[in-house]
Amino acid sequence: MAMGLFRVCLVVVTAIINHPLLFPRENATVPENEEEIIRKMQEHQEKLQLEQLRLEEEVSRLVAEKEALHQAEEGQQPPEAHTAWDLWSTLCMIAFLIIEIWRQDHQDGPFPECLGGDEDDLCGMGSTPLRGLPLPNKAILDHFYEHCIRSATGDATRTREFVEGFVDDLLEALRSISNRDTALETEDFIGVGSMYENWHVERPLLCHLFVPFIPPEPYSFHPELWCSDLSVPLSRQGYGQIKVTLAGGDPLGCICGKTKLGEDMLCLLHGKNSGVQPGAGANDEMEDLLCSRESSHLDAMQVMKWFQVGLTRAWHRIAHKYEFDLAFGQLDTPGSLRIKFRSGKFMPFILTPVIQCNDSDLYFVPQLPKESCRVTPASSTDWLLSFAVYERHFLRMTAKALPEGACHLSCLQIASFLLSKQSRLTGPSGLSNYHLKTALMHLLLCRRAADWKANQLDVRLQELFCFLERSLQEKKLHHFFVGNRKVPETLGLPEAVRRAEPINLFRPFVLQRTLYRSTVDSFYEMLRNAPTLISEYSLHVPSDRASPPPKAVAL
């Protein structure tokens, strides 16, 4: 009797271990569509029915054994063969249970050790991609990196120096033609992005510079963050508004009627026609506003218009000193400029007017380049909160603690290279370089410094793709700074940002199923193409990496 009960317990435990609802496999394949989900549910239903039949048969057999045992107690001896069979079946059941436990542990794979409580769930993933897509080994990756990436970024320093020198001259000209009583005052630029974090890969090399500006006296800016207020809709988290007031907090006034504005110059609050030329229509006034009268909030699009007008006039003032032309570049990228040399070569860069958030290194930017995986701001008075300066500080601070020749930026460069090639092949997806950098920073925070040695390049690159894979499965990639209390306090991040609710950068995937499906397909195709692509580029490095010049609008 005891032996029979023991066998029943083994059957039940085995069924529980195999039940996917209680022990879901982390590496379950993403269903292709709803029909695939229904088919797998039907298969699971059939398995449960078969398991139920097995249990019913086992119960019936146990009832028969109980009757046989009862007869044995009355003097009838059961056959010795039956006793031997019971022992053999029990041993087989135990072996089956052990094999099942080992199989599931083996499929789950090793889990990397993490050094942070809140980051454990971010790093607890297998070391093999979901669909078993192999990546090149370390030797091939090292050869590829040395010949195709390091050599392509060798002139980054000279590019930065040239662009910075020109921008200094351009901004100085902008200050000289600006009316200090009515125009925004520009400060020194700040270099951000991949060129200043030393992981830019693609040609042409692109410098991105923030140009902070402040209002003229007696006005002041009062930023309003939307990353910590629970009443703010999810679609507007990470944005904010900038209220314009007088220095003493008094209601807005305007001094443009007291000072003559220069040609093509716009007042901070009103355009050149507002309050200056009597008889101007109300519609004309509203079109020229930099700040909405009704809300007293700065309009991002009007600020960009002011900035572009100012840059045009500044360039005309210094154009005679240079032997090249300057034009606006991509129209969907605010502040995109392009230097065109007489030889036909060009050099793009981006100047973005920004507003500093209080005394921190946070900055409000009018709008980033259009990306499919980004929620569009609801109003032109919504400014995106940028952590670009903090990202640069974090990567530099982390690099000091890592071993010499650490592979963290190499991983990011290779991943960025593969993503850009895949985008050219199949078109842009919802995955961007910013998502790659966010994933890397999460891993840097939870990995030990010794794990980033140069000889760990292949392992860390595979782990980076595993992290992105899991994030895509869960449609969840948390912003690295917002709500992340594991970020070192020495970075100086505002406490309101650290204690805010985390922002999910993959939230658009929840709302846009088509975008999500195409992004997942593109991601796995990128992994499938990676070995061939890396091998091809390792054997033959293209002599001309420059992209075709974008359409431009002359200044």
Side-chain angles (χ1 to χ4, degrees), residues 215-222 243-253:
E217 295 181 356
Y219 299 108
S220 62
F221 289 152
H222 293 274
K243 191 172 184 179
V244 184
T245 65
L246 294 174
D250 299 329
L252 285 173

Side-chain angles (χ1 to χ4, degrees), residues 192 208-211 213 238-240 242 300-301 303-304 334 352-356 362-369 374 377 380-388:
V192 297
H208 191 177
L209 305 174
F210 279 177
V211 182
F213 63 91
Y239 287 84
I242 303 168
M301 296 300 100
V303 169
M304 283 303 308
T352 303
V354 299
I355 298 176
Q356 186 177 14
L362 294 176
Y363 288 90
F364 285 101
V365 299
Q367 178 185 346
L368 290 181
R374 183 179 296 279
S380 60
T381 59
D382 294 351
W383 293 66
L384 182 65
L385 189 60
S386 173
F387 293 79

Side-chain angles (χ1 to χ4, degrees), residues 346-407:
F346 64 95
M347 180 179 294
F349 63 98
I350 299 177
L351 288 183
T352 303
V354 299
I355 298 176
Q356 186 177 14
C357 181
N358 301 322
D359 296 327
S360 68
D361 284 329
L362 294 176
Y363 288 90
F364 285 101
V365 299
Q367 178 185 346
L368 290 181
K370 292 182 179 179
E371 296 177 0
S372 55
C373 192
R374 183 179 296 279
V375 179
T376 304
S379 169
S380 60
T381 59
D382 294 351
W383 293 66
L384 182 65
L385 189 60
S386 173
F387 293 79
V389 178
Y390 280 114
E391 292 163 6
R392 188 188 67 185
H393 291 338
F394 174 78
L395 290 176
R396 287 183 177 179
M397 180 183 67
T398 304
K400 295 179 181 180
L402 296 180
E404 184 178 357
C407 65

Side-chain angles (χ1 to χ4, degrees), residues 192-240:
V192 297
S194 58
M195 276 285 285
Y196 289 87
E197 296 164 352
N198 298 319
W199 60 271
H200 191 80
V201 177
E202 282 299 290
R203 290 296 188 96
L205 299 174
L206 179 65
C207 290
H208 191 177
L209 305 174
F210 279 177
V211 182
F213 63 91
I214 58 177
E217 295 181 356
Y219 299 108
S220 62
F221 289 152
H222 293 274
E224 301 172 355
L225 293 177
W226 288 347
C227 61
S228 58
D229 191 350
L230 297 179
S231 62
V232 175
L234 293 176
S235 60
R236 304 185 78 179
Q237 289 183 353
Y239 287 84

Side-chain angles (χ1 to χ4, degrees), residues 78-125:
E80 295 181 0
H82 184 70
T83 304
W85 185 90
D86 283 344
L87 180 60
W88 175 249
S89 61
T90 302
L91 292 176
C92 290
M93 195 66 66
I94 295 175
F96 177 72
L97 177 61
I98 294 174
I99 292 174
E100 279 295 309
I101 296 176
W102 175 85
R103 179 179 62 84
Q104 294 189 14
D105 289 341
H106 178 73
Q107 286 183 350
D108 289 342
F111 287 80
E113 298 177 0
C114 298
L115 299 180
D118 295 344
E119 295 289 329
D120 287 350
D121 58 334
L122 299 175
C123 300
M125 65 198 73

Side-chain angles (χ1 to χ4, degrees), residues 161-224:
E161 291 176 352
F162 178 85
V163 172
E164 290 173 358
F166 173 70
V167 170
D168 266 333
D169 199 8
L170 187 64
L171 293 181
E172 187 60 34
L174 177 61
R175 298 185 188 101
S176 66
I177 64 176
S178 298
N179 191 320
R180 298 182 182 275
D181 295 329
T182 58
L184 302 174
E185 299 180 16
T186 57
E187 299 183 320
D188 294 335
F189 63 82
I190 303 172
V192 297
S194 58
M195 276 285 285
Y196 289 87
E197 296 164 352
N198 298 319
W199 60 271
H200 191 80
V201 177
E202 282 299 290
R203 290 296 188 96
L205 299 174
L206 179 65
C207 290
H208 191 177
L209 305 174
F210 279 177
V211 182
F213 63 91
I214 58 177
E217 295 181 356
Y219 299 108
S220 62
F221 289 152
H222 293 274
E224 301 172 355

